[in-house]
CSV table of all heavy atoms in Angstrom, one decimal:
chain,number,residue,atom,x,y,z
A,1,GLU,N,-96.7,13.9,122.1
A,1,GLU,CA,-96.6,13.1,120.9
A,1,GLU,C,-98.0,12.4,120.7
A,1,GLU,O,-98.6,11.9,121.6
A,1,GLU,CB,-95.5,12.1,121.0
A,1,GLU,CG,-95.3,11.3,119.7
A,1,GLU,CD,-94.1,10.4,119.8
A,1,GLU,OE1,-94.2,9.4,120.6
A,1,GLU,OE2,-93.1,10.6,119.1
A,2,ARG,N,-98.5,12.5,119.4
A,2,ARG,CA,-99.8,12.0,119.1
A,2,ARG,C,-99.8,10.5,119.0
A,2,ARG,O,-98.9,9.9,118.4
A,2,ARG,CB,-100.2,12.6,117.7
A,2,ARG,CG,-101.6,12.1,117.2
A,2,ARG,CD,-102.7,12.8,117.9
A,2,ARG,NE,-103.9,12.6,117.2
A,2,ARG,CZ,-104.8,11.5,117.4
A,2,ARG,NH1,-104.5,10.7,118.4
A,2,ARG,NH2,-105.9,11.4,116.7
A,3,ASN,N,-100.8,9.8,119.6
A,3,ASN,CA,-101.0,8.4,119.4
A,3,ASN,C,-102.1,8.2,118.4
A,3,ASN,O,-103.3,8.3,118.8
A,3,ASN,CB,-101.3,7.8,120.8
A,3,ASN,CG,-101.6,6.3,120.7
A,3,ASN,OD1,-101.3,5.7,119.7
A,3,ASN,ND2,-102.1,5.7,121.8
A,4,PHE,N,-101.8,7.8,117.2
A,4,PHE,CA,-102.8,7.7,116.1
A,4,PHE,C,-103.7,6.5,116.2
A,4,PHE,O,-104.6,6.4,115.5
A,4,PHE,CB,-102.1,7.8,114.7
A,4,PHE,CG,-101.5,9.2,114.4
A,4,PHE,CD1,-100.2,9.4,114.5
A,4,PHE,CD2,-102.4,10.2,114.1
A,4,PHE,CE1,-99.6,10.6,114.2
A,4,PHE,CE2,-101.8,11.5,113.8
A,4,PHE,CZ,-100.5,11.7,113.9
A,5,ASP,N,-103.3,5.6,117.1
A,5,ASP,CA,-104.2,4.4,117.4
A,5,ASP,C,-105.4,4.8,118.2
A,5,ASP,O,-106.4,4.0,118.2
A,5,ASP,CB,-103.4,3.3,118.1
A,5,ASP,CG,-102.2,2.8,117.3
A,5,ASP,OD1,-102.4,2.8,116.1
A,5,ASP,OD2,-101.2,2.4,117.9
A,6,VAL,N,-105.4,6.0,118.8
A,6,VAL,CA,-106.5,6.4,119.6
A,6,VAL,C,-107.2,7.6,118.9
A,6,VAL,O,-106.5,8.6,118.5
A,6,VAL,CB,-106.1,6.8,121.0
A,6,VAL,CG1,-107.3,7.3,121.8
A,6,VAL,CG2,-105.4,5.6,121.7
A,7,THR,N,-108.5,7.6,118.8
A,7,THR,CA,-109.2,8.7,118.2
A,7,THR,C,-109.3,9.9,119.2
A,7,THR,O,-109.4,9.7,120.4
A,7,THR,CB,-110.7,8.3,117.8
A,7,THR,OG1,-110.6,7.2,117.0
A,7,THR,CG2,-111.4,9.5,117.1
A,8,LEU,N,-109.1,11.1,118.7
A,8,LEU,CA,-109.2,12.3,119.6
A,8,LEU,C,-110.6,12.3,120.2
A,8,LEU,O,-111.6,12.2,119.5
A,8,LEU,CB,-109.0,13.5,118.8
A,8,LEU,CG,-107.6,14.1,118.7
A,8,LEU,CD1,-107.5,15.2,117.7
A,8,LEU,CD2,-107.0,14.4,120.0
A,9,PRO,N,-110.7,12.5,121.5
A,9,PRO,CA,-112.0,12.6,122.2
A,9,PRO,C,-112.6,13.9,121.9
A,9,PRO,O,-112.0,14.8,121.5
A,9,PRO,CB,-111.6,12.4,123.7
A,9,PRO,CG,-110.2,12.9,123.8
A,9,PRO,CD,-109.5,12.5,122.5
A,10,LYS,N,-113.9,14.0,122.2
A,10,LYS,CA,-114.7,15.2,122.0
A,10,LYS,C,-114.4,16.1,123.2
A,10,LYS,O,-114.5,15.6,124.4
A,10,LYS,CB,-116.2,15.0,121.8
A,10,LYS,CG,-116.5,14.1,120.6
A,10,LYS,CD,-116.2,14.8,119.3
A,10,LYS,CE,-116.6,14.0,118.1
A,10,LYS,NZ,-116.2,14.6,116.8
A,11,CYS,N,-114.2,17.3,123.0
A,11,CYS,CA,-113.9,18.2,124.1
A,11,CYS,C,-114.7,19.5,124.0
A,11,CYS,O,-114.5,20.3,123.0
A,11,CYS,CB,-112.4,18.5,124.3
A,11,CYS,SG,-112.0,19.6,125.7
A,12,LYS,N,-115.6,19.8,124.9
A,12,LYS,CA,-116.5,21.0,124.8
A,12,LYS,C,-115.9,22.2,125.6
A,12,LYS,O,-116.4,23.3,125.6
A,12,LYS,CB,-117.9,20.7,125.3
A,12,LYS,CG,-118.6,19.7,124.5
A,12,LYS,CD,-120.0,19.5,125.0
A,12,LYS,CE,-120.8,18.5,124.1
A,12,LYS,NZ,-122.2,18.3,124.5
A,13,LEU,N,-114.8,21.9,126.3
A,13,LEU,CA,-114.1,23.0,127.1
A,13,LEU,C,-113.5,24.0,126.2
A,13,LEU,O,-113.2,23.7,125.0
A,13,LEU,CB,-113.1,22.4,128.0
A,13,LEU,CG,-113.6,21.4,129.1
A,13,LEU,CD1,-112.5,20.7,129.8
A,13,LEU,CD2,-114.5,22.1,130.1
A,14,LYS,N,-113.1,25.1,126.7
A,14,LYS,CA,-112.5,26.2,125.9
A,14,LYS,C,-111.3,25.7,125.2
A,14,LYS,O,-110.3,25.2,125.8
A,14,LYS,CB,-112.2,27.4,126.8
A,14,LYS,CG,-113.4,28.2,127.2
A,14,LYS,CD,-113.0,29.5,127.9
A,14,LYS,CE,-114.2,30.4,128.1
A,14,LYS,NZ,-113.9,31.6,128.8
A,15,GLY,N,-111.2,25.9,123.9
A,15,GLY,CA,-110.1,25.5,123.1
A,15,GLY,C,-110.3,24.1,122.5
A,15,GLY,O,-109.7,23.7,121.5
A,16,GLY,N,-111.2,23.3,123.0
A,16,GLY,CA,-111.5,21.9,122.5
A,16,GLY,C,-112.1,21.9,121.2
A,16,GLY,O,-112.6,22.9,120.7
A,17,ASN,N,-112.1,20.7,120.5
A,17,ASN,CA,-112.6,20.6,119.1
A,17,ASN,C,-114.1,20.9,119.0
A,17,ASN,O,-114.6,21.6,118.1
A,17,ASN,CB,-112.3,19.2,118.6
A,17,ASN,CG,-112.6,18.1,119.6
A,17,ASN,OD1,-113.3,18.3,120.5
A,17,ASN,ND2,-112.0,16.9,119.3
A,18,GLU,N,-114.9,20.5,120.0
A,18,GLU,CA,-116.4,20.8,120.0
A,18,GLU,C,-116.6,22.3,120.2
A,18,GLU,O,-117.4,22.9,119.6
A,18,GLU,CB,-117.1,19.9,121.0
A,18,GLU,CG,-117.2,18.5,120.7
A,18,GLU,CD,-118.1,18.2,119.6
A,18,GLU,OE1,-119.3,18.5,119.7
A,18,GLU,OE2,-117.7,17.6,118.6
A,19,TYR,N,-115.9,22.8,121.2
A,19,TYR,CA,-116.0,24.2,121.5
A,19,TYR,C,-115.6,25.1,120.3
A,19,TYR,O,-116.3,26.0,119.9
A,19,TYR,CB,-115.1,24.6,122.7
A,19,TYR,CG,-115.0,26.0,123.0
A,19,TYR,CD1,-115.9,26.7,123.8
A,19,TYR,CD2,-114.0,26.8,122.5
A,19,TYR,CE1,-115.9,28.0,124.1
A,19,TYR,CE2,-113.9,28.2,122.7
A,19,TYR,CZ,-114.8,28.8,123.6
A,19,TYR,OH,-114.7,30.1,123.8
A,20,SER,N,-114.5,24.7,119.6
A,20,SER,CA,-114.0,25.5,118.5
A,20,SER,C,-115.0,25.5,117.3
A,20,SER,O,-115.2,26.5,116.6
A,20,SER,CB,-112.6,25.0,118.1
A,20,SER,OG,-111.7,25.1,119.1
A,21,MET,N,-115.6,24.3,117.1
A,21,MET,CA,-116.6,24.2,116.0
A,21,MET,C,-117.8,25.0,116.2
A,21,MET,O,-118.3,25.7,115.3
A,21,MET,CB,-117.0,22.7,115.8
A,21,MET,CG,-115.9,21.8,115.2
A,21,MET,SD,-115.4,22.4,113.5
A,21,MET,CE,-117.0,22.2,112.6
A,22,ASN,N,-118.2,25.0,117.5
A,22,ASN,CA,-119.4,25.9,117.8
A,22,ASN,C,-119.1,27.3,117.7
A,22,ASN,O,-119.9,28.1,117.3
A,22,ASN,CB,-119.9,25.6,119.3
A,22,ASN,CG,-120.5,24.2,119.4
A,22,ASN,OD1,-121.0,23.6,118.4
A,22,ASN,ND2,-120.4,23.6,120.6
A,23,LEU,N,-117.8,27.7,118.1
A,23,LEU,CA,-117.4,29.0,118.0
A,23,LEU,C,-117.3,29.5,116.5
A,23,LEU,O,-117.8,30.6,116.2
A,23,LEU,CB,-116.0,29.2,118.6
A,23,LEU,CG,-115.5,30.6,119.0
A,23,LEU,CD1,-116.4,31.2,120.1
A,23,LEU,CD2,-114.1,30.6,119.4
A,24,ILE,N,-116.8,28.6,115.6
A,24,ILE,CA,-116.7,28.9,114.2
A,24,ILE,C,-118.1,29.1,113.6
A,24,ILE,O,-118.4,30.0,112.9
A,24,ILE,CB,-116.0,27.8,113.4
A,24,ILE,CG1,-114.5,27.8,113.8
A,24,ILE,CG2,-116.2,28.0,111.9
A,24,ILE,CD1,-113.7,26.6,113.4
A,25,LYS,N,-119.1,28.2,114.0
A,25,LYS,CA,-120.5,28.3,113.5
A,25,LYS,C,-121.1,29.6,114.0
A,25,LYS,O,-121.8,30.3,113.2
A,25,LYS,CB,-121.3,27.1,114.0
A,25,LYS,CG,-121.0,25.8,113.3
A,25,LYS,CD,-121.8,24.7,113.9
A,25,LYS,CE,-121.4,23.4,113.3
A,25,LYS,NZ,-122.1,22.2,113.9
A,26,THR,N,-120.8,30.0,115.2
A,26,THR,CA,-121.4,31.2,115.8
A,26,THR,C,-120.8,32.4,115.0
A,26,THR,O,-121.6,33.3,114.6
A,26,THR,CB,-121.0,31.4,117.3
A,26,THR,OG1,-121.5,30.2,118.0
A,26,THR,CG2,-121.6,32.6,117.9
A,27,ASN,N,-119.5,32.4,114.7
A,27,ASN,CA,-118.9,33.5,114.0
A,27,ASN,C,-119.4,33.6,112.6
A,27,ASN,O,-119.6,34.7,112.1
A,27,ASN,CB,-117.4,33.3,114.0
A,27,ASN,CG,-116.7,33.6,115.3
A,27,ASN,OD1,-117.3,34.3,116.1
A,27,ASN,ND2,-115.5,33.0,115.5
A,28,LEU,N,-119.6,32.4,112.0
A,28,LEU,CA,-120.2,32.4,110.6
A,28,LEU,C,-121.6,33.0,110.6
A,28,LEU,O,-121.9,33.8,109.7
A,28,LEU,CB,-120.2,31.0,110.0
A,28,LEU,CG,-118.8,30.4,109.6
A,28,LEU,CD1,-119.0,29.0,109.2
A,28,LEU,CD2,-118.3,31.2,108.4
């Protein structure tokens, strides 16, 4: 369950938000 009082941390591991963004940029 999501706790909206806390901001999602940055995650560079596989599947993480930072990893996925880099993957999308690479694909583009």
